[in-house]
C-alpha cells in the first residue's frame, strides 16, 4: 500500500517500488530517502490520480478536518458581482483567481468562500497592516478566534492569517493543516520567495485575490500553477458609480523651469549616450541589470548612473509640480487626499514644503499607526506617501489622489486609483490628478501606465 505523508513542505510516497503512470508524472524518486517525492501543492492531483488508478493508499498528509461548528456571526448579503465571483470560483473547483477592483469587497468574497467550504483556511497577506485588518474581519464575521503569523505574532488556529514572509518561513511545518489557501494581493505570490509558501502547502482549495491581474509571462504561469487560472475578472468601470465611487482622472502637464530643463537635457544626454554605446536594451527582461553591470565596468559608467538619477529626480520633482500640488490642495480644502510619489526624497520634499505628514517604509510602526488613525478621523486631511499606500489601506473617505511621480507599471497606477474609489457616505465623486513633466521621459512612462480601461476617456 502506498503511504502519502507531508514532510518538510513536500509530499512523500512510500511503500512502493514504482508508481502508477498517472502519479509518476507528479513525483520523482528521491535516492537520499529511498522514496518518491512530490510538491505539496500537487496534493490534490496526487490523491485524485491514486483514486483513478484504484491503487490502495493511506493518506497521512492531510492534517485537517471539516469545521462542523463554524458559523457566521453576521449575515452576509452579497452584491451581484460578489455572487458572480463566488459562483465562478466554485465552478472552477474552488481553485482559481478572482480579479475585483479595490473597494469592491474582495475580503467579503473570501469570507463567503470560507463559509462555503467550512474547512481550515490560511490567508496570505503582504503587509502587517493587512494582517491585522484580515484577522479583525474574520473575527467579526465568524464565531472563531483567528490565528496570526507575522509582526511578532505566532498563533496557529484553524483560520489563520499570515504575512507572505512568515508563511515562507513556517509552511514546511504547517503546510498540511489547511484545506483552503487564500492569497490576498496575489500578484505578490509568484515572486521567487513568496511562491514557496504556496508550493509547500497541500491546500486543495485555493483563492487568489487581486485588483490587478496583469503579470508577465513567467509570473502568470506561476500564479496559474499555484492558485489556478482567472475565473472572474470585473473591472473598475463596471462598478463605478454604484459599488464604487464615480471618478474623474485629470492628467496635468507641467513645464520645467529654464534651469531645470537645461539640467535635465544635460544629464539625459549623458545617460542616453552611454546606453547606446553599451548596447543596453531595456525591452529585454534583464535590461536594468545589464545597465547597472555596464555602469560598474565601462568607462563613463559612474557618470551615466549619476546622470540617470539626476534627470529622473528633475522630472519627478520639478518646481512646477510643487506649485501645482498647492493649487490642487487649495481646490479641495478639507478633503481627504493622498499624495503619491515614486521615491522618499520627493515625498519628504513635499512634506516640508506644505507641512504635511509623510509615510514611507522608513516610518516607525508607532508613528505609522498614528498617522493612519489621524488620517482616518480627519485630523490629518492630507497624507504624503511614496509607495507604502499603493495597496492594502482601507480609508473610504479619501476622495482626492495626486500622483506626483510613479513607475510605468499599470498595476501601480490602477492601485493608486483604487485608493480613492471606496464608497463612503456623502462622497459623490473621486478625483485623481496625474502630474507629468512635459518634454521628459515621464510622458512615455505616463502613456505606458495608462494602458488600462479604467483610464480610457
Amino acid at each position: 500500500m502506498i503511504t502519502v505523508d507531508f514532510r518538510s513542505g513536500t509530499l512523500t510516497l512510500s511503500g512502493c517500488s514504482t508508481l502508477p503512470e498517472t502519479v509518476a508524472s507528479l513525483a520523482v524518486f528521491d535516492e537520499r530517502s529511498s522514496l518518491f517525492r512530490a510538491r505539496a501543492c500537487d496534493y490534490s492531483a496526487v490523491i485524485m490520480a491514486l483514486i483513478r488508478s484504484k491503487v490502495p493508499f493511506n493518506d497521512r498528509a492531510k492534517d485537517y478536518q471539516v469545521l462542523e461548528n463554524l458559523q457566521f456571526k453576521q449575515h452576509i448579503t452579497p452584491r451581484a458581482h460578489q455572487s458572480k465571483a463566488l459562483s465562478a470560483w466554485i465552478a472552477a473547483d474552488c481553485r482559481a483567481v478572482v480579479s475585483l477592483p479595490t473597494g469592491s469587497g474582495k475580503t467579503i468574497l473570501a469570507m463567503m468562500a470560507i463559509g462555503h467550504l467550512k474547512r481550515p483556511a490560511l490567508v496570505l497577506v503582504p503587509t502587517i497592516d493587512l494582517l491585522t485588518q484580515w484577522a479583525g474581519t474574520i473575527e467579526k464575521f465568524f464565531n472563531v478566534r483567528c490565528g496570526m503569523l507575522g509582526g511578532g505574532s505566532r498563533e496557529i488556529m484553524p483560520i489563520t492569517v499570515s504575512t507572505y514572509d512568515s508563511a515562507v518561513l513556517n509552511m514546511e511545518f504547517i503546510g498540511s493543516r489547511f484545506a483552503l489557501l487564500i492569497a490576498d494581493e496575489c500578484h505578490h505570490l509568484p515572486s521567487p520567495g513568496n511562491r514557496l509558501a504556496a508550493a509547500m502547502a497541500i491546500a486543495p482549495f485555493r483563492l487568489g485575490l487581486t485588483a490587478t491581474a496583469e503579470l508577465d509571462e513567467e509570473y502568470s504561469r506561476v500564479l496559474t500553477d499555484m492558485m489556478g487560472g482567472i475565473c472572474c475578472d470585473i473591472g473598475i468601470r463596471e462598478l463605478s458609480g454604484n459599488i464604487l465611487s464615480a471618478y474623474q482622472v485629470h492628467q496635468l502637464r507641467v513645464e520645467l523651469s529654464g534651469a531645470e530643463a537645461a539640467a535635465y537635457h544635460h544629464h539625459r544626454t549623458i545617460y542616453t549616450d552611454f546606453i547606446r554605446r553599451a548596447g543596453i536594451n531595456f525591452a529585454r527582461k534583464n535590461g536594468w541589470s545589464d545597465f547597472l553591470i555596464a555602469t560598474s565596468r565601462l568607462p563613463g559608467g559612474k557618470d551615466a548612473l549619476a546622470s540617470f538619477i539626476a534627470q529622473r529626480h528633475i522630472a519627478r520633482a520639478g518646481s512646477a509640480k510643487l506649485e501645482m500640488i498647492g493649487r490642487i490642495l487649495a481646490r479641495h480644502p478639507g478633503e481627504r487626499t493622498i499624495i503619491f510619489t515614486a521615491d522618499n526624497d520627493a515625498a519628504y520634499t513635499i512634506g516640508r514644503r506644505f507641512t504635511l505628514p509623510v509615510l514611507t517604509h522608513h516610518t516607525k510602526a508607532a508613528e505609522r499607526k498614528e498617522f493612519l488613525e489621524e488620517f482616518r478621523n480627519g485630523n490629518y486631511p492630507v497624507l504624503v506617501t511614496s509607495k507604502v499606500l499603493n495597496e492594502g489601506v482601507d480609508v473610504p473617505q479619501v476622495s482626492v489622489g495626486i500622483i506626483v511621480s510613479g513607475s510605468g507599471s499599470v498595476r501601480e497606477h490602477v492601485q493608486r486609483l483604487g485608493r480613492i474609489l471606496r464608497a463612503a457616505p456623502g462622497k459623490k465623486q473621486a478625483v485623481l490628478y496625474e502630474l507629468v513633466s512635459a518634454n521628459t521621459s515621464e510622458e512615455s512612462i505616463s502613456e505606458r501606465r495608462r494602458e488600462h480601461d479604467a483610464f480610457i476617456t
Side-chain angles (χ1 to χ4, degrees), residues 146-157:
C146 182
M148 289 182 23
L149 188 57
S153 299
R154 197 185 187 285
E155 183 179 22
I156 310 300
M157 302 295 286

Side-chain angles (χ1 to χ4, degrees), residues 40-308:
C41 59
D42 288 330
Y43 166 78
S44 179
V46 167
I47 297 300
M48 293 305 298
L50 288 170
I51 292 172
R52 286 194 298 268
S53 299
K54 299 181 179 180
V55 175
F57 69 94
N58 180 20
D59 181 4
R60 298 194 309 198
K62 183 179 74 170
D63 188 23
Y64 59 81
Q65 302 295 327
V66 174
L67 301 178
E68 299 284 0
N69 296 323
L70 183 68
Q71 299 289 335
F72 280 107
K73 288 197 301 186
Q74 282 195 23
H75 175 70
I76 293 177
T77 303
R79 303 288 187 95
H81 69 284
Q82 292 168 328
S83 296
K84 176 183 176 181
L86 183 67
S87 296
W89 179 68
I90 293 172
D93 297 325
C94 301
R95 188 183 180 102
V97 173
V98 172
S99 179
L100 294 176
T102 297
S104 62
K106 292 190 293 295
T107 307
I108 297 300
L109 172 64
M111 300 303 107
M112 294 162 61
I114 293 171
H116 172 75
L117 289 176
K118 285 197 170 185
R119 285 171 172 80
L122 178 65
V123 182
L124 305 181
V125 298
T127 66
I128 301 298
D129 286 335
L130 283 171
L131 181 79
T132 55
Q133 283 184 30
W134 271 87
T137 301
I138 288 167
E139 293 186 348
K140 173 183 176 182
F141 282 100
F142 291 108
N143 61 333
V144 296
R145 177 179 174 83
C146 182
M148 289 182 23
L149 188 57
S153 299
R154 197 185 187 285
E155 183 179 22
I156 310 300
M157 302 295 286
I159 301 180
T160 295
V161 185
S162 171
T163 62
Y164 280 99
D165 289 342
S166 294
V168 170
L169 295 174
N170 290 276
M171 199 64 85
E172 63 176 304
F173 310 110
I174 66 172
S176 62
R177 297 174 60 175
F178 302 97
L180 172 60
L181 183 69
I182 298 174
D184 190 25
E185 309 290 358
C186 66
H187 46 271
H188 290 284
L189 186 137
S191 70
N194 288 344
R195 69 180 65 168
L196 293 175
M200 293 192 293
I202 72 168
F205 309 112
R206 300 185 175 215
L207 172 61
L209 299 171
T210 184
T212 48
E214 295 87 355
L215 294 168
D216 65 27
E217 185 177 349
E218 178 197 350
Y219 277 27
S220 180
R221 178 186 58 77
V222 171
L223 184 61
T224 300
D225 179 33
M226 294 294 165
M227 302 301 295
I230 297 175
C231 67
C232 183
D233 187 353
I234 297 175
I236 289 174
R237 287 192 174 276
E238 295 178 60
L239 304 181
S240 174
N242 182 13
I243 305 301
L244 302 177
S245 173
Y247 69 95
Q248 292 182 348
V249 177
H250 299 293
Q251 185 188 57
L252 305 177
R253 296 173 79 252
V254 297
E255 300 287 342
L256 298 178
S257 69
E260 288 170 341
Y264 174 84
H265 291 297
H266 168 73
H267 289 294
R268 183 77 180 174
T269 299
I270 293 173
Y271 160 62
T272 54
D273 284 351
F274 176 82
I275 62 175
R276 278 194 293 269
R277 290 198 310 272
I280 304 299
N281 180 4
F282 286 109
R284 293 181 53 202
K285 183 178 180 180
N286 296 324
W288 177 247
S289 297
D290 292 342
F291 171 64
L292 292 179
I293 291 171
T295 60
S296 66
R297 294 179 176 176
L298 300 180
K302 291 183 179 179
D303 290 340
L305 181 58
S307 286
F308 165 76

Side-chain angles (χ1 to χ4, degrees), residues 17 46 60 97 129 146 213 241 275 292 303 312 314 318 321 323 330 336 338 352 355 364 380 390 393 416 424 435:
S17 56
V46 167
R60 298 194 309 198
V97 173
D129 286 335
C146 182
I275 62 175
L292 292 179
D303 290 340
R312 185 179 63 177
I314 293 168
K321 283 191 174 183
E323 294 172 6
R336 220 70 57 83
I338 300 179
R352 286 191 296 269
T355 317
K364 293 181 179 179
Y380 294 165
N390 281 355
V393 176
R416 289 175 165 185
L435 310 188

Side-chain angles (χ1 to χ4, degrees), residues 102-103 185 338 340 389-399 414-422 427:
T102 297
E185 309 290 358
I338 300 179
F340 298 97
L389 296 186
N390 281 355
E391 60 188 15
V393 176
D394 182 4
V395 185
Q397 296 83 1
V398 178
S399 59
V414 172
Q415 287 173 330
R416 289 175 165 185
L417 172 62
R419 298 275 68 80
I420 68 173
L421 293 185
R422 291 183 184 274
K427 182 176 174 180

